Amino acid sequence: MKNGAYCKFCVVFSKCGGIGNQPLNKLVFEAFDAWKKALETFRKHSECSYHKSAVLNADHFVGIYTKQQPSIVEAVDTDRGHRDSGKINVNDDSINDGNFRAILRYRGKGDQFLKLNLENDYRYKYIGSKIQNEMIIACGDIIQKKIVKKINDSQCFSILADETTDISTNEQLTLCVRYLDTQNNLCLISCGVQCDFLFGQGFDGASNMSGKFKGVQAIIREQYPQAIYVHCAAHSLNLAVSTASNIKPIRNCLGILEKMYVFFKTPKRNNALLIAIDEGDFEPKIKTLKRLCATRWVQRYDAVNDFVELFPCVVAALEIITEWNDSSATDAAILLKAIDSEFLISLQITKVIYLF
């Protein structure tokens, strides 16, 4: 390690450049030894947002380590509002027992009847968790009935349906209804919607939805022939762009872009990119690379466009990394070699494809 000074806070606790993505170079990744400029350098460093954050993180760490402050788990267990039972003292704002009870306490200050109900020893106050859930369901039913009435009054509507997997891997079906709002110039039947007024339906191209004989659209048209099926325009565009991107040079170009994103995702390599941007001849609007969206092809334009804008800085950063004494140097050399004429032409073509 080169002899010199380091900031003990930033070396341990700084992971990125903070606001504005300030480069983590001197005093963090590189030793400082220009002692004639020490006062000025130290002053500028102390004003950096990432240094201030590192100092705060260090103080928190020491406080928790020495038991002067509770850990995150302990703080969550003691500070979060999670109690839905017990007496409510309207004038005691120091208690943190959840949003619902806090709202009741606030409302009780201006409503004497509610205050008496909350503070007296009545057996039934109707503020328990079961009542809360019933209130939420009741609100949902009221909103749903109002929407259904607007749909039925329009006498002309169409539906869109799609499903996605939530974080617990359960399929969640979403129904969207488009209708003519007369005031402002399926599951549907169970909600009370009159499907006799259904004139359009739009889904993706999956066979279970768009199938001519057994798909959802076919089943619906058996009962409501006027409900014309239209392949979702967004899905059609995604499929068209996906097919166009199966050309080998385009596919290879996208693969290299993905590898570039993964390569610069680590703090040390990303810092090299930030330094290249800071020392460049222009000031780009963005500071980092974006990942290519795995499912929405039309959203890949931003990732491609950002890479094109940062291209000179990416090349400069790769050239710097090739001089490192670790495995990153080999990977950087491989990525540099991949930037040939075929890649550059394919990159521009891809940008035009995604633009339109």
Side-chain angles (χ1 to χ4, degrees), residues 66-354:
T66 58
K67 304 298 184 180
Q68 296 178 1
Q69 297 179 5
S71 66
I72 294 177
V73 175
E74 293 171 341
V76 169
D77 288 339
T78 56
D79 294 342
R80 68 180 178 179
H82 64 281
R83 292 189 291 108
D84 284 324
S85 61
K87 188 175 181 180
I88 296 181
N89 186 344
V90 173
N91 295 321
D92 188 357
D93 294 327
S94 63
I95 301 175
N96 181 17
D97 51 4
N99 293 335
F100 179 72
R101 292 167 67 87
I103 292 174
L104 289 177
R105 187 179 295 108
Y106 174 78
R107 186 67 184 87
K109 294 179 180 180
D111 190 325
Q112 188 65 24
F113 178 80
L114 177 60
K115 180 180 179 180
L116 292 174
N117 181 72
L118 294 175
E119 294 185 341
N120 287 341
D121 294 327
Y122 298 142
R123 182 175 180 182
Y124 300 106
K125 297 178 182 293
Y126 302 100
I127 60 174
S129 57
K130 183 178 179 181
I131 294 296
Q132 292 181 40
N133 290 332
E134 292 178 356
M135 291 173 60
I136 293 173
I137 294 174
C139 291
D141 291 340
I142 293 173
I143 294 173
Q144 179 175 286
K145 288 180 181 178
K146 289 185 176 181
I147 295 175
V148 168
K149 185 179 185 304
K150 289 183 178 181
I151 295 173
N152 291 335
D153 290 343
S154 71
Q155 298 190 4
C156 180
F157 68 90
S158 61
I159 60 171
L160 297 174
D162 198 5
E163 61 180 0
T164 56
T165 303
D166 61 20
I167 193 171
S168 59
T169 69
N170 292 323
E171 292 289 338
Q172 301 291 342
L173 177 65
T174 302
L175 288 176
C176 297
V177 182
R178 301 193 68 179
Y179 61 92
L180 177 64
D181 190 343
T182 55
Q183 296 181 352
N184 298 306
N185 291 333
L186 14 80
C187 297
L188 296 171
I189 296 178
S190 64
C191 293
V193 175
Q194 299 177 22
C195 289
D196 291 334
F197 305 137
L198 175 61
F199 288 92
Q201 49 178 326
F203 315 112
D204 59 24
S207 58
N208 62 329
M209 301 299 291
S210 63
K212 185 176 181 180
F213 300 103
K214 295 184 178 181
V216 171
Q217 68 92 12
I219 296 173
I220 291 178
R221 294 203 67 181
E222 287 181 1
Q223 296 185 358
Y224 310 102
Q226 74 276 13
I228 300 175
Y229 163 68
V230 179
H231 190 171
C232 174
H235 282 89
S236 297
L237 181 58
N238 282 336
L239 292 174
V241 176
S242 175
T243 301
S245 298
N246 280 332
I247 301 174
K248 185 177 179 180
I250 302 295
R251 187 173 65 249
N252 293 341
C253 174
L254 296 177
I256 294 172
L257 290 182
E258 179 68 12
K259 291 184 181 298
M260 290 284 190
Y261 167 81
V262 174
F263 180 79
F264 283 106
K265 191 177 180 180
T266 64
K268 185 177 179 181
R269 296 170 184 170
N270 185 63
N271 184 70
L273 178 59
L274 293 175
I275 293 175
I277 293 174
D278 186 59
E279 297 178 351
D281 297 331
F282 68 105
E283 295 183 3
K285 297 179 181 179
I286 40 92
K287 301 289 185 179
T288 58
L289 300 176
K290 289 188 177 67
R291 185 162 209 165
L292 293 169
C293 182
T295 56
R296 302 294 182 184
W297 288 77
V298 293
Q299 294 183 2
R300 294 191 170 193
Y301 172 75
D302 289 338
V304 174
N305 185 63
D306 289 354
F307 181 85
V308 172
E309 183 175 353
L310 290 177
F311 179 74
C313 302
V314 170
V315 174
L318 289 174
E319 291 175 346
I320 293 174
I321 297 175
T322 56
E323 299 178 359
W324 293 359
N325 295 322
D326 55 26
S327 60
S328 298
T330 303
D331 296 337
I334 294 174
L335 290 175
L336 274 175
K337 189 175 181 180
I339 303 177
D340 53 15
S341 58
E342 180 180 275
F343 169 80
L344 295 176
I345 295 174
S346 301
L347 180 64
Q348 296 299 327
I349 294 175
T350 303
K351 180 181 178 181
V352 174
I353 292 175
Y354 290 153

